[in-house]
Amino acid sequence: MKTLARYAICLVVVATAPRGAWAQSAVEAGALGKAIEDLTATYGPRYPKGSEFLRRLARLEAGAPSEAAAGKLEALRREALTANPLLVAQPILFVTRRQYANNHGTEATMCQTGEINTRFFRGGGAVKVLDLTGAGGAKVRTLLELPAGIARDPEVSFDGRRIVLSLRRDIRDDYHIHEMDADGGNVRQLTFAPRVSDIQPVYMPDGRIVFSSTREPKYIPCQRHLMCNLFVMEADGANIRQLGHNTQFEGRSSVMADGRILYTRWEYVDKHFAPAYGLWTANPDGTNQALFYGGYGWQPSAIVDARMIPGSQRCVCVFTAVHELAWGAMVVIDPHRGLDGLDPVVRSWPADISRHMSGWDSLARIGGGYDSFRAVRVKYEDPYPLSEKYFLCSRSLSAKAAGDMGIFLVDVFGNELLLHHEPPGCFDPMPLGPREKPPVLADRTDPTGDEGVFYVENVYIGEFMDRVARGRVKALRVVEAPPKLTYPPDGIGDWTPGADPDGHHPVAVNWNHYNHKRILGTVPVEADGSAHFAVPAGRFVYFQLLDANGMMVHSMRSGTTLQPGETIGCAGCHEDKLSAPPYSGRVAMALRREPSRLSPWHGPERNFGYAAEGQPVLDRYCVRCHDHGGKGAGKMIL
């Protein structure tokens, strides 16, 4: 009770004290007291000065408000918070660089040679270590200096002895995966492809490295920026294999405690661009791709840099805008509370993000509301969870200097302590030391194969499917969403905004746009709603339910990919991911037989295009009456 009373008195002081340093510090005193008590209770002898810190804090709170008292409180805050055993157990790795230029959105930061935004590459960076472990205050040492280049996306090996990262030496170079020893020595290049960006590498428990790459070049639909997919390679850079075939971006990966990959996916399958970002999971071999959070709501329109919190089922990530850099609000998500919206958000910095999430599930958000997280004034970036309560991150120093980024220690009690800042900016903080290695997941792929198998338990289980009469669905159509592989020359509509946000690229269907579709074929749906069928591996596909007339009943708004030899299934169509399907005690009819083969759609698979598919129908049935206004022609001239 004494502790609670002290915090209550602190709040009264804030209300009555004069404006200035002490008024702000009085607010922080309550947060500091909670953190000290938590560290004392949690770590005991490993936090030996906890009781002393509390006594000093009580004396300061009992004294008269003054600028001098505010200074002493700030000194105590720094001393007490930097004594956190999680912080001083090992040095902190980070990189320095200028903040990326915002060319279009979170992933248009590679500025690859020959890309439309190459000129925005801004070199000058380094890999450094902040050491808070010794006496005499913080010390910074440089592991690697890049006067004209950038080091980005570092990741520490599980034994703490190596660092994998992406390096670009200068504007004439491109990003390649490198590895170096933890002391900065023995820098070695692992990937070498020219005019390719290899970024965001992550160590896997089996020693391989997952990374994102433009090796299958594809472009953002409404612009000309390159995007990445997930790849994996051996520890020495050999045997590079593509894991993801999404039409847009896959990356910003981290490893979950169970050995899976947690990553950001940006995809377009017949939906608006605002809810096109989500967090996904996959096995290190690329199998079992599944949604983790997001991908439905208008807010947040981008979710990036997710990492699982140690000893927890929750993750920390950044909520930002689709037309913004990878900074914004830092958020802790519990996916067991939901897969979209505010319910899964258990903590955020800033503390209240409700105004940025307003109307997250409302169609009224179309027209600009999807970028509301651009309004977050103090920007958070690159979160790294030390525990459920303490986090490292890169954060802007103030709302007025949003691009001036330093390394901060942030906790759930309200403390945000600047640990280090130096120009041009500090990013990617993480402990440089060993950590627990997750289990190795067995590889489920067959490298000699070229297809996999899908099954659906019951297509009538899922969102809105209760409105569909049982027996109406007769077939399932498999459609591939091809990537945008090129774009029109300047001046003929490569990007022409329409009257609404979905009206971009009016001529782009002639230029490999994402609205192209490729029908691979159809398969039967059994009377009990089940389906079981083979699909070529490595294709980004989605499914549509058809009735007896071949008319669409329901369609996916997301896609998936099979690895060679993979078998994977779902309970239904858009089913609730947090509940199990009802148990029938019977094996689904489709699973009692071999997988169906795809029945082709009016000839071999091909991109759907107006000239090949639409105009011939008009020529055959319509033009004779709608040809330049002849007799009987309506107002429409074809």
Side-chain angles (χ1 to χ4, degrees), residues 24 27-28 31-32 34-35 77 81 347 349 389 409-417:
Q24 176 60 33
V27 175
E28 295 169 346
L32 175 59
K34 293 176 183 177
R77 192 171 78 100
L81 294 179
R347 185 68 166 83
W349 296 264
K389 301 174 183 177
L409 174 68
V410 175
D411 64 35
V412 297
F413 308 109
N415 298 288
E416 299 190 27
L417 180 68

Side-chain angles (χ1 to χ4, degrees), residues 173-391:
D173 190 18
D174 278 309
Y175 287 109
H176 306 291
I177 306 301
H178 290 66
E179 188 179 50
M180 63 184 183
D181 296 342
D183 61 2
N186 193 22
V187 179
R188 48 207 177 271
Q189 187 170 340
L190 301 181
T191 65
F192 299 86
R195 293 177 71 88
V196 159
S197 295
D198 294 331
I199 60 174
Q200 300 167 354
V202 178
Y203 288 110
M204 291 292 104
D206 63 1
R208 294 186 296 173
I209 296 171
V210 164
F211 63 102
S212 296
S213 178
T214 61
R215 289 167 181 265
E216 183 184 69
K218 56 190 66 173
Y219 294 90
I220 182 175
C222 61
Q223 269 287 357
R224 293 175 285 181
H225 303 298
L226 284 164
M227 293 291 110
C228 291
N229 285 142
L230 286 182
F231 287 75
V232 67
M233 65 183 180
E234 303 297 333
D236 61 358
N239 297 327
I240 294 175
R241 183 168 69 87
Q242 189 168 351
L243 298 181
H245 296 266
N246 174 23
T247 57
Q248 287 301 287
F249 179 83
E250 300 166 331
R252 300 183 178 273
S253 306
S254 62
V255 184
M256 305 174 73
D258 60 9
R260 290 179 295 160
I261 306 166
L262 176 63
Y263 65 101
T264 289
R265 179 195 275 191
W266 179 20
E267 64 178 11
Y268 287 115
V269 178
D270 293 344
K271 62 183 177 184
H272 188 272
F273 57 77
Y277 269 85
L279 297 179
W280 286 68
T281 62
N283 293 339
D285 60 2
T287 61
N288 195 27
Q289 297 178 15
L291 179 67
F292 184 84
Y293 172 85
Y296 172 80
W298 299 102
Q299 293 296 345
S301 55
I303 313 166
V304 297
D305 293 330
R307 291 181 182 269
M308 297 303 295
I309 296 172
S312 168
Q313 296 297 312
R314 299 172 173 179
C315 80
V316 62
C317 61
V318 170
F319 282 9
T320 184
V322 70
H323 297 116
E324 186 55 279
L325 295 172
W327 60 3
M330 191 168 83
V331 176
V332 173
I333 291 173
D334 184 351
H336 293 90
R337 298 172 58 168
L339 300 183
D340 272 291
L342 269 171
D343 287 346
V345 175
V346 296
R347 185 68 166 83
S348 67
W349 296 264
D352 183 7
I353 61 171
S354 59
R355 72 183 184 96
H356 306 295
M357 293 287 288
S358 176
W360 69 268
D361 59 349
S362 170
L363 291 179
R365 301 303 286 175
I366 300 177
Y370 41 76
D371 270 348
S372 71
F373 274 90
R374 298 190 77 171
V376 173
R377 299 184 67 202
V378 175
K379 310 288 190 180
Y380 298 81
E381 193 167 354
D382 303 328
Y384 192 99
L386 301 174
S387 72
E388 288 188 272
K389 301 174 183 177
Y390 302 96
F391 305 83

Side-chain angles (χ1 to χ4, degrees), residues 535-617:
V535 171
R539 313 284 282 272
F540 190 68
V541 299
Y542 66 102
F543 310 134
Q544 297 179 330
L545 303 181
L546 308 180
D547 64 14
N549 297 317
M551 303 297 288
M552 188 178 75
V553 175
H554 205 22
S555 181
M556 285 177 65
R557 293 295 187 266
S558 182
T560 189
T561 298
L562 282 172
Q563 302 300 317
E566 178 182 6
T567 296
I568 191 169
C570 53
C573 296
H574 297 197
E575 75 274 17
D576 182 1
K577 300 296 191 297
L578 299 181
S579 63
Y583 177 67
S584 67
R586 298 190 300 270
V587 177
M589 294 173 64
L591 292 177
R592 302 175 198 170
R593 56 168 171 76
E594 291 296 308
S596 301
R597 313 304 299 183
L598 292 172
S599 298
W601 182 79
H602 300 291
E605 65 178 65
R606 60 203 181 276
N607 282 1
F608 187 91
Y610 173 81
E613 314 294 346
Q615 187 63 47
V617 176

